[in-house]
Amino acid sequence: MDKGNSAAMSSSSPVRAMVGASIVASGITKVYGHGTNAALHALGPMGLNVKPGEFVSLIGPSGCGKSTTLLLVSGLESVTEGKIEFDGQILRKPISDVGIVFQDHLLLDFRTALKNVMLQQEIRGLDAAELRARADMLFDRLGIAGSEGRYPRQLSGGMRQRVSIARALVHDPSMLLMDEPFGALDAITRTQSRHDLEMLWMETQKTVLFITHSIEEAVGLSDRVLVMSKSPGMIVEEIKIDLPRPRPAHLGEYPEFAQYAERIYQIFAKLGVYKF
Amino acid sequence: MVRQIAFGYGQSAIIGLAAVGALLGLWEVLADWYDVPTWLFPKPSDFLGRLGADWLMIAGHAMATSITILQGFALGVLVSVPLAYAIVSIPALERGLYPVIVFLNIMPKTVIGPILIIWFGIGPLISALIVFLMCFFPILVDAMHGFKHVDPRLFYISRSMGATNWQGFWKFRLPAAMPAIFSGMKIGIVKAVEGVIIAEFIASDAGLGFMIMQASAFMDVSLMFAGLIAAALVALVFNSAMSIFEKVLMPWSGRGH
Ligand SMILES: Nc1ncnc2c1ncn2[C@@H]1O[C@H](COP(=O)(O)OP(=O)(O)OP(=O)(O)O)[C@@H](O)[C@H]1O
Ligand SMILES: [Mg+2]
């Protein structure tokens, strides 16, 4: 199936692949403004490997290049060096079989919440009724039912973020890229959203690359946590999280969770991210 | 939503009308008191009377003026918005064409009128062209600003959805630039209603400007004042229509509820 071709996608949408896509990146670096005076080495060299259907978190200090990694993996920014394979294909242009939640919600303020989500259907030429049903389901599951007709300006920050999550999921992509999707949420909504995302993920086979500042979120959601060093970032440690799913709300009370969290703290301390 | 707007306008209109009424009343009383000759400085009762007595003729001219505004303004929008998009998208145009437009815009547009008359003769179409020249530039500048300052990260979204250039324009860039385009159109309509009267002075055989010019030739000062009032009303209608249009077309741009 040609993933870049929306016409091909819509005609074959009922028989879409059930398994998520894989990412294999090797030796990638990103220098913003390469070759100019203002060149800024933002990332790498770094390798990254995400298996089909896996839930992987990237955690690291502010400015280490997490958002940059996501933009590279999505093909929206080009790598300065190295290469990225998406499902075995070398990435040359933005991938479209993907749902992205950006660090800022990036909703279009001239569209209502529902129309923002349905933009996926309009642009990709997918079946309107089917996508509308999925949108309704997602609004419901994400706790934003009733705000369909409201404009982004009329929503709270947390609601906007959940609308952008619905937009990333409505077309049922094989991969989800999420950049601190719950960063702006209050603690209660954050815990609930984490659980909602975990349940949605468990029902499907999507691959998820999840960027976060929160150790609790990383451990609470991931199969693997990749810890990044300070700028220019690279992955310094990989931690497999062997905890049953779905994971409970108050992870802090579980000793296994505390051990994982402690390990990440230790790595940060060693990297000089924390100075106590 | 629309009723709310109408109510807001209704309220300020009532206050405005009351103020105008008071002013006219004062004027009438003072003119009576000092016995000012009507042919020099008419009383409100004189020119409001003319507005009533000759309303069919005045309305006809007001209609001609309105059509001229609409034609010139519509042409302005239809030319400037696509041109703004082209200039913003093609760097060579921004470097080559835009300075030329800026220079041409400095020239007084009313001087172009007599030239146009020599080329095309007198008629409402020439006034429409002058109106176009007057409102073209502000719309162009603001539309360019709008297209230029679309958050570049919106392209992340459009590209990750696999949007074509066409979709990128219609679904992302144009609506994102709309508030800026509208602020240009609001300046443009002000320029248009200002410019149309002058354009009709010099280049038309119909419209309020032409009527006022004719009245002036006959020393009919009360008709000139009636024409002035009619012109103000036409301006008011166009400016309000623009604001209402904006609220209806861009409900998102207002404050939240
Ligand atoms: N478009 C850009 N142009 C130039 N420099 C950039 C650009 N985007 C990011 N950078 C720089 O690259 C570095 C990495 O930025 P990035 O946004 O990837 O960090 P991050 O890990 O996501 O940070 P945070 O956790 O605060 O979101 C920073 O030094 C940033 O200033
Ligand atoms: Mg970031």
Side-chain angles (χ1 to χ4, degrees):
Chain A
M1 186 171 101
D2 180 7
K3 292 203 161 67
N5 186 325
S6 57
M9 252 182 76
S10 61
S11 58
S12 62
S13 69
V15 283
R16 52 176 310 113
M18 279 308 293
V19 182
S22 67
I23 306 163
V24 179
S26 53
I28 54 170
T29 63
K30 180 64 182 179
V31 180
Y32 285 108
H34 189 56
T36 68
N37 294 341
L40 187 135
H41 186 175
L43 181 75
M46 185 179 101
L48 176 70
N49 198 337
V50 185
K51 292 191 276 293
E54 198 179 17
F55 198 123
V56 172
S57 287
L58 269 181
I59 189 167
S62 184
C64 74
K66 301 182 294 298
S67 298
T68 301
T69 306
L70 180 138
L71 290 173
L72 295 181
V73 165
S74 62
L76 289 168
E77 289 279 353
S78 55
V79 294
T80 307
E81 284 165 356
K83 67 165 191 202
I84 300 176
E85 284 174 29
F86 178 81
D87 246 0
Q89 302 268 328
I90 290 189
L91 207 60
R92 294 221 166 74
K93 58 175 178 135
I95 46 178
S96 62
D97 186 19
V98 67
I100 309 179
V101 181
F102 294 92
Q103 195 162 355
D104 297 324
H105 54 84
L106 291 189
L107 294 174
L108 308 183
D109 52 10
F110 45 86
R111 283 177 166 255
T112 61
L114 180 65
K115 288 210 141 203
N116 262 286
V117 172
M118 291 300 280
L119 191 59
Q120 296 276 18
Q121 177 266 324
E122 288 177 36
I123 300 282
R124 294 166 190 270
L126 301 172
D127 183 71
E130 188 185 323
L131 271 270
R132 179 61 209 269
R134 263 188 74 81
D136 287 345
M137 181 276 285
L138 286 167
F139 270 76
D140 199 42
R141 295 280 296 262
L142 292 165
I144 42 173
S147 10
E148 287 87 350
R150 299 171 77 189
Y151 289 97
R153 279 190 198 181
Q154 302 167 330
L155 299 173
S156 75
M159 290 162 92
R160 282 179 212 152
Q161 202 57 13
R162 278 172 280 168
V163 174
S164 85
I165 294 172
R167 177 179 64 186
L169 286 168
V170 72
H171 54 301
D172 201 17
S174 55
M175 180 160 70
L176 253 185
L177 302 173
M178 308 182 95
D179 194 350
E180 298 185 36
F182 310 142
L185 305 187
D186 60 280
I188 300 167
T189 319
R190 184 186 264 253
T191 305
Q192 183 63 50
S193 303
R194 188 188 85 213
H195 177 71
D196 295 342
L197 176 64
E198 188 182 26
M199 296 308 285
L200 281 168
W201 174 77
M202 285 172 68
E203 290 162 23
T204 59
Q205 300 282 306
K206 293 183 204 318
T207 308
V208 183
L209 183 61
F210 186 92
I211 289 169
T212 179
H213 274 133
S214 155
I215 293 177
E216 171 163 340
E217 246 168 48
V219 177
L221 279 167
S222 314
D223 296 326
R224 260 189 317 143
V225 179
L226 305 175
V227 186
M228 287 176 76
S229 64
K230 278 199 284 195
S231 178
M234 52 189 93
I235 292 165
V236 288
E237 192 89 32
E238 173 192 303
I239 301 167
K240 268 186 98 73
I241 310 292
D242 260 324
L243 294 176
R245 291 183 188 273
R247 294 174 186 165
H250 9 269
L251 286 163
E253 295 169 10
Y254 294 79
E256 311 93 299
F257 166 80
Q259 278 166 14
Y260 285 122
E262 180 59 22
R263 260 183 77 190
I264 299 173
Y265 280 119
Q266 291 298 337
I267 297 164
F268 279 168
K270 204 169 69 195
L271 291 171
V273 174
Y274 287 121
K275 296 186 189 73
F276 276 95
Chain B
M1 179 93 194
V2 175
R3 268 182 52 203
Q4 228 173 335
I5 297 162
F7 180 69
Y9 277 105
Q11 218 171 22
S12 50
I14 287 168
I15 296 171
L17 277 180
V20 169
L23 199 71
L24 290 178
L26 190 67
W27 179 346
E28 181 81 28
V29 170
L30 287 178
D32 246 0
W33 191 271
Y34 290 105
D35 207 11
V36 182
T38 296
W39 56 268
L40 183 65
F41 203 81
K43 291 192 293 261
S45 57
D46 295 328
F47 58 76
L48 290 180
R50 278 307 282 278
L51 215 50
D54 286 331
W55 78 269
L56 211 64
M57 187 260 292
I58 296 174
H61 284 300
M63 186 51 85
T65 296
S66 304
I67 290 172
T68 303
I69 294 173
L70 269 182
Q71 287 170 330
F73 180 72
L75 190 64
V77 173
L78 288 179
V79 172
S80 345
V81 175
L83 186 62
Y85 188 62
I87 290 177
V88 166
S89 316
I90 306 168
L93 283 185
E94 173 143 35
R95 263 175 283 120
L97 182 63
Y98 187 59
V100 176
I101 295 174
V102 171
F103 175 73
L104 290 178
N105 181 60
I106 297 170
M107 296 194 308
K109 261 123 338 231
T110 39
V111 176
I112 301 174
I115 301 175
L116 291 176
I117 292 172
I118 290 179
W119 287 347
F120 304 109
I122 281 191
L125 221 53
I126 303 306
S127 329
L129 274 181
I130 296 174
V131 168
F132 158 74
L133 291 175
M134 292 210 167
C135 62
F136 160 82
F137 195 67
I139 305 176
L140 178 80
V141 170
D142 279 8
M144 278 176 60
H145 179 86
F147 285 126
K148 225 184 240 181
H149 291 86
V150 174
D151 186 340
R153 299 174 307 171
L154 291 189
F155 298 116
Y156 286 156
I157 305 207
S158 64
R159 281 159 63 210
S160 80
M161 290 180 178
T164 60
N165 287 340
W166 183 251
Q167 288 173 323
F169 177 77
W170 285 106
K171 307 250 179 210
F172 293 86
R173 273 198 107 155
L174 183 61
M178 272 307 261
I181 295 174
F182 249 98
S183 75
M185 291 194 338
K186 275 155 93 177
I187 301 172
I189 202 81
V190 169
K191 295 258 174 203
V193 297
E194 262 173 34
V196 72
I197 301 297
I198 299 166
E200 286 170 348
F201 282 170
I202 53 175
S204 191
D205 51 7
L208 291 171
F210 169 73
M211 187 190 85
I212 292 170
M213 233 18 201
Q214 251 193 339
S216 157
F218 291 106
M219 294 283 278
D220 189 351
V221 183
S222 62
L223 183 59
M224 290 174 75
F225 271 80
L228 203 64
I229 302 249
L233 287 177
V234 168
L236 187 71
V237 165
F238 273 96
N239 286 320
S240 329
M242 202 65 204
S243 302
I244 292 172
F245 221 54
E246 181 180 24
K247 298 251 161 51
V248 171
L249 269 184
M250 304 194 303
W252 72 85
S253 68
R255 268 159 281 147
H257 290 266

